[in-house]
Amino acid sequence: MRILITYATTEGQTRKIARFCADQLISRGHSVELLRVEDAGDIELAVFDTVLLAGSVHIGKLQEPLARFAETHAQALNGMPTMLIVVSLAIAGDDPNDREELDRIAAAFAAEAGWTPGQVEHVAGAFKFSEYDFFRTLAMRWIAWQKGEEIKAHEDREYTDWAGLAAVITKWQAAAAPLPERAKTAG
Ligand SMILES: Cc1cc2nc3c(=O)[nH]c(=O)nc-3n(C[C@H](O)[C@H](O)[C@H](O)COP(=O)(O)O)c2cc1C
């Protein structure tokens, strides 16, 4: 399959997640174009069989450039298999209220764009204290403290479940493949 993966990232974790997805798909024989969403604006989606969008939650929202991309290409996206990956820290916990809030964020993003993703996956991100400015450091230390996490100054901490993500991608590429390709890519 020809697959477009386009992503928005603020501190870099979603780029790492998008690259991981690309590597997984390439290793299964797919042709993958991986683009930061700012570089994907006027891309022709008709040349792809499927599209994966990824973004991260900052103060209750996904990035604006990702929202613009989804809105601009909503019609094409609605006509092909798609997946939205939502990266957050809240999903790393086990609070059902957090999960509800993340589902609401994903639903609002999709509704505003006029796009119905074929699949929505929540993926845990990372604390990136090496990337934060002074005020972000204060805010994120407070969040870490609230969650009972002790993180040293300038330390990063990753919560992404790479094995879980690999399983999601394996399943998705098999389901998204056009029928004749399914036999080749399944498993
Ligand atoms: C300023 C700021 C605000 C954030 N707001 C949220 C939030 O509302 N909910 C949440 O679950 N995670 C929140 N996060 C955590 C990010 O989603 C997480 O760190 C993610 O890995 C960032 O991905 P990125 O590096 O690709 O931007 C926030 C992080 C920062 C720095």
Side-chain angles (χ1 to χ4, degrees), residues 8-15 56-61 63 87-91 102 125-128 132 136 140:
T9 188
T10 307
E11 285 96 31
Q13 189 66 13
T14 308
R15 175 170 48 242
S56 56
V57 179
H58 285 77
I59 319 181
K61 286 190 85 168
Q63 287 90 349
V87 177
S88 71
L89 277 174
I91 199 67
L102 289 170
F127 281 114
K128 288 277 179 84
Y132 300 152
R136 284 187 173 203
M140 297 308 281

Side-chain angles (χ1 to χ4, degrees), residues 64-164:
E64 198 49 45
L66 195 71
R68 279 204 303 276
F69 179 90
E71 190 177 6
T72 304
H73 296 283
Q75 199 181 353
L77 289 170
N78 283 330
M80 57 170 58
T82 56
M83 172 157 63
L84 172 64
I85 290 187
V86 179
V87 177
S88 71
L89 277 174
I91 199 67
D94 51 11
D95 185 339
N97 293 328
D98 282 347
R99 175 62 203 233
E100 264 179 40
E101 175 64 6
L102 289 170
D103 285 340
R104 192 197 58 73
I105 290 167
F109 175 87
E112 277 166 34
W115 166 46
T116 307
Q119 189 173 333
V120 177
E121 286 294 330
H122 292 282
V123 174
F127 281 114
K128 288 277 179 84
F129 284 97
S130 60
E131 303 281 333
Y132 300 152
D133 60 20
F134 177 76
F135 291 107
R136 284 187 173 203
T137 300
L138 280 187
M140 297 308 281
R141 282 192 82 81
W142 186 72
I143 289 171
W145 176 80
Q146 270 195 322
K147 299 264 177 207
E149 299 279 347
E150 279 223 12
I151 301 178
K152 293 190 195 85
H154 307 301
E155 191 189 328
D156 293 345
R157 186 166 300 174
E158 192 172 81
Y159 295 88
T160 311
D161 170 5
W162 299 108

